[in-house]
């Protein structure tokens, strides 16, 4: 049996929205995906992937929330019953869970930004040479526009 994060009535939890939950891997592996921007879901925001819920009641495999007190993406449909397997952390305040959500999401975003900046820095000279070659080919292909001596 999977060990769930300990939650009690009145706790606030940080949890995956159901479509983003850990279905194909264990929670630790699933969370490590967030070492990259968006955890593999490039078009999503933190508020779409992670929800912050106030716990109303706890059962062995599920917990119940008050949708009116939840912090979820505005377009999402929130069910009262949520799977405990999607809970990442629990705390006593809503703000602590929101801070944790934002911190987790920012780690991968910052890492991806640094990787991309370094990648573009390293390829910059090569890219300039390749673009110059492409412009010469375009000029040579269209002498009636660029002139007969275009190379």
């Amino acid at each position: 049996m999977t060990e769930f994060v300990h939650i009690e009535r009145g706790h606030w939890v940080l949890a995956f929205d159901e479509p983003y939950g850990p279905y194909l891997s264990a929670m630790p592996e699933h969370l490590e995906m967030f070492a990259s921007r968006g955890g593999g879901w490039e078009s999503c925001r933190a508020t779409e992937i992670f929800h912050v819920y106030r716990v109303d009641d706890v059962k062995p495999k599920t917990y119940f929330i008050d949708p009116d007190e939840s912090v979820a993406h505005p377009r999402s449909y929130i069910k009262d019953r949520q799977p405990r397997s999607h809970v990442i952390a629990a705390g006593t305040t809503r703000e602590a869970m929101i801070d944790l959500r934002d911190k987790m999401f920012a780690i991968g975003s910052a890492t991806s930004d640094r990787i991309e900046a370094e990648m573009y820095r390293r390829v910059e000279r090569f890219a300039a040479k390749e673009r110059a070659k492409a412009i010469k080919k375009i000029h040579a292909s269209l002498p009636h526009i660029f002139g007969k001596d275009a190379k």
Side-chain angles (χ1 to χ4, degrees), residues 11-86:
H11 274 167
W12 286 88
V13 296
L14 174 62
F16 282 108
D17 186 22
E18 280 200 63
Y20 302 100
Y23 293 108
L24 301 176
S25 61
M27 181 66 85
E29 293 171 54
H30 197 66
L31 289 169
E32 285 175 350
M33 291 174 23
F34 288 89
S36 296
R37 181 179 292 112
W41 295 283
E42 294 296 329
S43 64
C44 295
R45 296 185 305 267
T47 56
E48 291 177 81
I49 297 171
F50 304 106
H51 290 179
V52 176
Y53 300 128
R54 184 164 178 106
V55 177
D56 263 357
D57 192 18
V58 181
K59 300 294 180 191
K61 293 184 181 181
T62 61
Y63 64 100
F64 291 84
I65 63 164
D66 180 356
D68 296 332
E69 290 195 54
S70 297
V71 180
H73 190 269
R75 292 178 297 186
S76 67
Y77 170 73
I78 301 174
K79 298 184 293 187
D80 290 343
R81 181 187 299 252
Q82 299 292 321
R84 288 190 62 191
S85 61
H86 287 43

Side-chain angles (χ1 to χ4, degrees), residues 81-97:
R81 181 187 299 252
Q82 299 292 321
R84 288 190 62 191
S85 61
H86 287 43
V87 175
I88 300 164
T92 56
T93 67
R94 171 184 180 188
E95 292 74 21
M97 295 299 99

Side-chain angles (χ1 to χ4, degrees), residues 1-5:
M1 167 116 183
T2 304
E3 199 165 317
F4 298 124
V5 172

